[in-house]
Amino acid sequence: MSQGLPPVASDAVFTASASITIDAPRDLVWQVLMDWGSYQQWNPFVRNQCLVDATRKPLAASQQPRVGAHLLMRPVHIPPSFTPPKIFPAGSALEVITTFDTDNYRCAWKNVEFPSWLLDTERWQALVDVVEDGRKKTRYETVGVFNGWFAYVVKLVVGSGVQEGFRAMAEGLKIRSEELQRQRCVITPCAD
């Protein structure tokens, strides 16, 4: 059972999820996850994301995430790849941040491009402290819930690609965070 995410709606058309243990402190993993400008370096699924207005125009001011802010993810690669997609063109998604909880290392957003009866999506991401092999580590958890009539089409056409994207993003987050933690430990020795 997940410790950091709300329960998944049991009547969802489909869900995508990933969970991975990362050998780095939660604050470091959160910094990597929230550094959207660096996504192109480690995230093969969502290559970039930024705060925009409702018309998709990037905000010139603060890119500090907050509840109610519009979030544009573009490009989104399905299947995940560091190179331009070959099967489907790179996609995008316009979301609204519904949860941004720095104290509990959780964030969530909902898609606002479609009426909810047509496509209603919500994605949660959370970081949870865990102890593994006697050492404190971080577990990254993410779940996306898809509902509405069009969710059946999304599931059929790209559902497995979305699932693969969630998994690839989790693996990329792990690699990037652990790499940064190793660099930190070279500068200032870390306790095991």
Side-chain angles (χ1 to χ4, degrees):
M1 179 85 176
S2 169
Q3 295 176 353
L5 301 172
V8 175
S10 60
D11 60 346
V13 172
F14 82 99
T15 62
S17 63
S19 179
I20 197 165
T21 301
I22 301 171
D23 193 5
R26 196 162 59 155
D27 65 327
L28 175 75
V29 180
W30 183 254
Q31 289 172 4
V32 172
L33 187 61
M34 293 297 113
D35 182 9
W36 301 336
S38 74
Y39 274 25
Q40 65 217 0
Q41 297 170 14
W42 63 267
N43 188 343
F45 180 46
V46 178
R47 304 290 290 134
N48 188 29
Q49 60 188 42
C50 66
L51 296 181
V52 297
D53 65 19
T55 67
R56 295 178 170 233
K57 181 180 175 188
L59 298 179
S62 172
Q63 284 290 308
Q64 180 62 39
R66 65 191 179 287
V67 171
H70 286 84
L71 177 65
L72 178 63
M73 291 178 251
R74 180 180 63 201
V76 177
H77 288 189
I78 299 174
S81 170
F82 286 104
T83 59
K86 294 181 175 131
I87 299 171
F88 298 103
S92 66
L94 182 63
E95 314 282 328
V96 167
I97 298 172
T98 57
T99 300
F100 191 74
D101 181 357
T102 57
D103 293 335
N104 293 300
Y105 301 87
R106 298 179 342 148
C107 61
W109 44 78
K110 289 181 71 83
N111 189 282
V112 293
E113 295 176 296
F114 304 97
S116 60
W117 62 266
L118 184 61
L119 183 64
D120 186 20
T121 67
E122 183 172 20
R123 181 169 184 188
W124 279 81
Q125 297 181 88
L127 303 177
V128 179
D129 283 329
V130 295
V131 176
E132 190 175 278
D133 302 323
R135 297 185 43 223
K136 189 174 178 183
K137 298 181 181 183
T138 302
R139 185 174 55 240
Y140 167 71
E141 300 175 326
T142 184
V143 62
V145 179
F146 296 76
N147 281 302
W149 180 86
F150 197 62
Y152 292 98
V153 177
V154 172
K155 178 182 179 181
L156 180 67
V157 176
V158 294
S160 62
V162 170
Q163 176 59 50
E164 178 62 19
F166 277 38
R167 186 198 58 74
M169 182 173 174
E171 289 177 359
L173 180 63
K174 175 183 175 70
I175 291 166
R176 177 72 169 168
S177 298
E178 290 178 352
E179 173 186 286
L180 291 175
Q181 177 64 7
R182 281 190 298 278
Q183 291 172 4
R184 268 188 181 180
C185 291
V186 167
I187 296 167
T188 305
C190 299
D192 282 336

